[in-house]
Amino acid sequence: MRKHLIALLFLIPFVAVAQSPAPPRLTKTAIGNCGCSAYMPADMPKFNLSLSEDGAEVYTAELETSGLFYGCIAVKFAERFGDDYNSEHLEALLISYMDYLKSILGVTSSTGYGKGHTLTDYPDALGVLDYWQTGDSVHYAVKGWVNRDKMGVLFLGKKDSDADINIQNVYLNGWRFE
């Protein structure tokens, strides 16, 4: 009897892992015609295009799969920001946009913005990271990227808990300015 109990205790974690759905494979995906791409699930739907009041192109798409909510927003500014618009201005613009998204998603708490993120191949890009929770217990990891031409925000959510840190890192760092 004791041998069966010990064997059962070893099998339970493996059964639980085998039953949880595998996250989708991420592939490099062009974001409309904005000149950016990101590593996203292959079945991410086509991006919706709208224009902001100032003429910027705004591309949006989201997908729920394997218990995760993937979202992507890309903005191609109507005009490139000049040299007088320094990195502090760009970072403030990105944070302002992320604050706006908080209100849209119903965020009730956040950890606070982590600044200073960079992308190796894009020295002019700035990144900001935050973790949010909504009133209906969705936990989001959110990362925004900006340069003088474009801005993008990637978010990954999971109901009642955080998504796996490895999935977060791959997804949130998968932004590319082309």
Side-chain angles (χ1 to χ4, degrees):
M1 175 73 172
R2 185 172 182 209
K3 290 180 189 178
H4 295 296
L5 181 59
I6 291 172
L8 184 60
L9 290 175
F10 282 111
L11 287 176
I12 289 173
F14 295 113
V15 172
V17 169
Q19 290 179 353
S20 39
R25 182 172 180 195
L26 304 180
T27 58
K28 189 174 181 181
T29 304
I31 302 171
N33 293 320
C34 77
C36 293
S37 61
Y39 284 86
M40 294 185 243
D43 51 350
M44 193 76 156
K46 183 179 175 184
F47 281 83
N48 295 314
L49 170 63
S50 60
L51 294 177
S52 69
E53 291 178 10
D54 66 354
E57 296 175 7
V58 180
Y59 296 84
T60 59
E62 59 184 271
L63 171 72
E64 182 179 353
T65 183
S66 301
L68 297 171
F69 305 100
Y70 293 85
C72 178
I73 301 168
V75 179
K76 182 178 180 183
F77 301 129
E79 292 185 31
R80 176 178 169 74
F81 288 104
D83 291 338
D84 58 328
Y85 215 76
N86 64 29
S87 60
E88 288 83 24
H89 290 110
L90 291 171
E91 189 174 74
L93 175 67
L94 177 58
I95 288 172
S96 175
Y97 191 74
M98 290 173 76
D99 283 341
Y100 167 72
L101 291 177
K102 279 183 183 180
S103 67
I104 299 297
L105 293 172
V107 172
T108 56
S109 66
S110 66
T111 60
Y113 294 117
K115 303 174 184 178
H117 294 265
T118 59
L119 289 171
T120 304
D121 295 334
Y122 308 95
D124 66 333
L126 302 168
V128 173
L129 173 70
D130 203 359
Y131 296 91
W132 301 342
Q133 185 172 338
T134 65
D136 57 350
S137 298
V138 177
H139 298 241
Y140 285 102
V142 184
K143 198 167 209 179
W145 297 101
V146 66
N147 68 12
R148 295 183 187 284
D149 299 302
K150 301 165 191 121
M151 177 172 57
V153 177
L154 298 168
F155 52 94
L156 180 64
K158 186 173 181 185
K159 181 83 171 164
D160 297 323
S161 68
D162 294 326
D164 178 90
I165 191 70
N166 294 320
I167 297 169
Q168 286 180 32
N169 287 338
V170 171
Y171 183 65
L172 299 178
N173 292 322
W175 185 266
R176 301 293 179 261
F177 292 101
E178 306 296 334

